[in-house]
């Protein structure tokens, strides 16, 4: 097919769309438009190996620069899509330019959730972490012996804490909830990670809000809701992300907690697809529509959209999975622990190798696997099969998970 495909966004998902289109021998023009100066790159290492200085920037790329040296591929970086005209099938770009499309893929991603207006929130030394430049700015402030305060005890906050403590900084994590990663893991898993971080010298201030920041041009302390003030040479804020769906909404596309797509990644306009963090999509596994902040989801949706753009009829129906690296602990999550009525731990937490199985009326919903890749791999198939587990023996980690189906 020789249709012109334009991809708005140049993140991980966008890079995968281009790669799959080339793999499937798409003959038409491909235009990739991105706001950043960088070709599509991986985001997960940003708060892990790249922040730690263990991965050079060039290894972040989804594909090397030479991959895009194809006469059918046009790359426009440092460029913003300002508007979509669905009737004329055009995009208005900044600076002044118009691009026409036959098919459009919205790979708009997400942006960091910012703090509400607080005293001192604009001081130098206060960082968010979403892209390469953010990490480079944080690295410039990360010096041994300095005081780092992290706002938010989700994946990003705790990964940054692990890297920073390993670099010799004094790290304090401030979290409004009563435990870390409360939105995504059971109390047993939160308790384990709290002990691990404290053992590494990280101070956790749980059930604590934020009042503001103080300093003369640069942050010097953080003021907490309990009246205390803690020293800070730098601050990293990790309080979640927000889908970039405003462009789609302004164009008249259906939007609900993201850009609404079907299981082929099509939006409410049949010539426009959407992939990645910005989408609200149906999940047969979960029996509802969800929005996922997941590399796996972004890549699989990108492959699905590209295949359908090439004339195939591919449906997206994957078990969600995620991961987080903190110290020498690899947390691998299969499924989504939404609506569980029991959480059973397999293995010994003190041995730093265990899993937590989430169930509803005996049916497996999700598994958090800490240094237990076998449980993680087996769980993905069991979740897809909607397997009912033997609750009486599930805690016995000497029995493989796949052998506990009833």
């Amino acid at each position: 097919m020789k249709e012109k495909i334009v991809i708005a966004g140049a993140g991980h998902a966008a890079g995968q769309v281009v790669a799959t289109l080339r793999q499937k021998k798409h003959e038409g023009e491909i235009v990739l438009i991105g706001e950043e100066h960088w070709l599509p790159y991986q985001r997960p290492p940003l708060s892990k190996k790249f922040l730690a200085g263990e991965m050079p920037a060039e290894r972040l790329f989804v594909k090397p620069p030479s991959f895009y040296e194809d006469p059918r591929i046009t790359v426009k970086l440092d460029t913003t899509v300002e508007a979509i005209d669905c009737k004329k099938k055009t995009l208005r770009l900044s600076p002044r330019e118009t691009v026409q499309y036959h098919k459009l893929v919205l790979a708009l991603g997400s942006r960091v959730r910012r703090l509400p207006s607080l005293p001192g929130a604009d001081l130098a030394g206060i960082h968010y972490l979403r892209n390469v430049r953010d990490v480079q700015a944080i690295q410039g402030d990360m010096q041994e012996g300095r005081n780092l305060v992290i706002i938010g005890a989700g994946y990003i906050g705790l990964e940054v804490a692990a890297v920073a403590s390993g670099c010799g900084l004094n790290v304090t994590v401030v979290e409004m909830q009563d435990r870390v990663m409360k939105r995504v893991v059971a109390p047993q898993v939160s308790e384990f990670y709290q002990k691990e971080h404290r053992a590494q010298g990280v101070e956790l201030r749980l059930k604590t809000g934020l009042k503001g920041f103080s300093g003369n041009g640069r942050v010097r302390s953080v003021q907490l809701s309990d009246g205390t003030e803690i020293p800070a040479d730098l601050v990293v804020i990790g309080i979640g992300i927000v889908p970039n769906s405003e462009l789609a909404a302004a164009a008249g596309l259906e939007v609900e907690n993201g850009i609404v797509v079907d299981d082929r990644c099509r939006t409410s306009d049949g010539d426009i697809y959407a992939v990645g963090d910005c989408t609200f999509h149906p999940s047969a596994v979960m029996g509802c529509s969800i929005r996922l902040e997941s590399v796996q989801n972004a890549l699989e949706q990108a492959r699905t959209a590209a295949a359908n753009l090439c004339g195939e009829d591919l449906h997206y129906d994957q078990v969600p999975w995620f991961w987080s690296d903190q110290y020498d602990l690899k947390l691998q999550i299969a499924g989504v622990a939404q609506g569980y009525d029991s959480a059973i731990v397999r293995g010994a937490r003190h041995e730093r190798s265990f899993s937590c199985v989430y169930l509803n009326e005996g049916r497996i919903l999700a598994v958090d696997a800490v240094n237990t890749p076998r449980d993680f791999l087996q769980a993905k198939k069991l979740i897809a099969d909607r397997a009912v587990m033997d609750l009486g023996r599930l805690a016995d980690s000497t029995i493989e998970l796949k052998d506990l189906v009833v």
Side-chain angles (χ1 to χ4, degrees):
M1 300 178 77
K2 293 191 176 181
E3 291 183 323
K4 180 178 182 179
I5 297 174
V6 176
I7 305 161
H12 208 155
Q16 185 61 56
V17 172
V18 177
T20 305
L21 288 174
R22 286 197 61 182
Q23 177 190 351
K24 294 184 177 295
K25 311 299 183 185
H26 173 72
E27 296 178 353
E29 184 182 356
I30 300 169
V31 180
L32 181 71
I33 304 168
E35 288 188 340
E36 290 187 65
H37 183 67
W38 296 79
L39 288 167
Y41 62 87
Q42 308 169 66
R43 292 193 189 273
L46 295 183
S47 57
K48 307 176 183 74
K49 288 188 175 182
F50 185 65
L51 177 63
E54 298 173 1
M55 176 184 285
E58 54 269 23
R59 283 188 55 201
L60 292 173
F61 290 131
V62 175
K63 294 289 185 180
S66 59
F67 174 82
Y68 303 92
E69 295 173 359
D70 183 311
R72 290 169 297 181
I73 299 177
T74 300
V75 178
K76 295 177 177 291
L77 302 178
D78 299 308
T79 303
T80 301
V81 179
E82 293 186 332
I84 305 168
D85 188 325
C86 298
K87 290 183 179 179
K88 294 181 179 179
K89 290 192 174 182
T90 59
L91 302 181
R92 188 177 77 241
L93 310 182
S94 175
R96 300 174 185 175
E97 187 179 355
T98 299
V99 171
Q100 195 150 23
Y101 65 85
H102 292 109
K103 302 290 184 182
L104 173 63
V105 180
L106 300 178
L108 301 171
S110 53
R111 61 189 183 276
V112 293
R113 188 182 302 279
R114 294 193 170 266
L115 289 173
S117 180
L118 289 173
D122 59 348
L123 288 169
I126 298 177
H127 303 276
Y128 292 84
L129 196 163
R130 188 59 183 163
N131 57 42
V132 170
R133 287 182 179 175
D134 293 337
V135 177
Q136 290 172 334
I138 294 169
Q139 289 172 325
D141 283 345
M142 280 178 57
Q143 296 177 22
E144 186 174 355
R146 280 191 163 185
N147 298 309
L148 164 63
V149 177
I150 298 169
I151 309 300
Y155 294 142
I156 295 295
L158 295 182
E159 288 170 1
V160 171
V163 171
S165 66
C167 292
L169 281 79
N170 305 311
V171 182
T172 301
V173 178
V174 178
E175 170 59 54
M176 290 185 65
Q177 300 293 337
D178 59 353
R179 57 187 178 88
V180 304
M181 299 188 290
K182 184 172 184 176
R183 187 170 66 91
V184 290
V185 302
Q188 301 97 309
V189 181
S190 292
E191 180 185 6
F192 170 79
Y193 274 92
Q194 286 165 194
K195 288 181 178 178
E196 288 290 330
H197 278 278
R198 284 171 172 148
Q200 297 290 339
V202 175
E203 182 179 356
L204 300 177
R205 297 285 191 100
L206 305 176
K207 295 190 292 185
T208 305
L210 179 65
K211 287 183 66 178
F213 309 91
S214 62
N216 185 16
R218 181 179 178 86
V219 67
R220 290 298 174 218
S221 67
V222 178
Q223 299 156 353
L224 305 180
S225 59
D226 61 6
T228 60
E229 188 168 0
I230 54 178
D233 298 300
L234 69 155
V235 175
V236 175
I237 297 166
I239 54 174
I241 62 175
V242 179
N244 291 325
S245 56
E246 292 83 0
L247 190 66
L253 301 179
E254 185 179 356
V255 169
E256 179 188 347
N257 187 29
I259 303 170
V260 176
V261 297
D262 63 15
D263 62 357
R264 294 173 178 82
C265 298
R266 295 177 305 198
T267 70
S268 52
D269 182 319
D271 291 324
I272 302 178
Y273 291 71
V275 297
D277 289 2
C278 65
T279 66
F280 186 63
H281 65 274
S283 169
V285 172
M286 296 190 62
C288 63
S289 287
I290 56 174
R291 185 175 65 81
L292 293 173
E293 301 163 8
S294 156
V295 171
Q296 171 262 348
N297 174 67
L299 296 182
E300 292 300 334
Q301 282 193 322
R303 294 185 181 105
T304 300
N308 289 322
L309 285 164
C310 291
E312 299 181 23
D313 185 22
L314 186 62
H315 298 245
Y316 175 68
D317 182 20
Q318 301 281 331
V319 173
W321 58 267
F322 318 81
W323 81 94
S324 177
D325 294 333
Q326 299 170 40
Y327 308 110
D328 58 344
L329 302 167
K330 179 170 284 293
L331 170 61
Q332 295 172 291
I333 300 173
V336 178
Q338 195 174 80
Y340 70 93
D341 57 24
S342 60
I344 297 176
V345 172
R346 290 166 48 81
R349 281 175 282 178
H350 69 272
E351 294 179 355
R352 307 175 82 246
S353 177
F354 69 96
S355 61
C356 181
V357 183
Y358 300 84
L359 309 111
N360 181 280
E361 296 182 351
R363 181 171 63 86
I364 186 169
L365 300 178
V367 168
D368 296 340
V370 179
N371 291 344
T372 51
R374 185 182 294 273
D375 274 6
F376 168 71
L377 292 171
Q378 293 182 11
K380 288 196 287 185
K381 184 177 188 308
L382 297 175
I383 294 165
D385 292 343
R386 301 175 65 84
V388 175
M389 310 301 291
D390 182 345
L391 301 186
R393 299 190 300 156
L394 189 55
D396 187 347
S397 60
T398 65
I399 307 173
E400 293 203 16
L401 203 56
K402 64 182 178 61
D403 294 331
L404 291 167
V405 178
V406 296

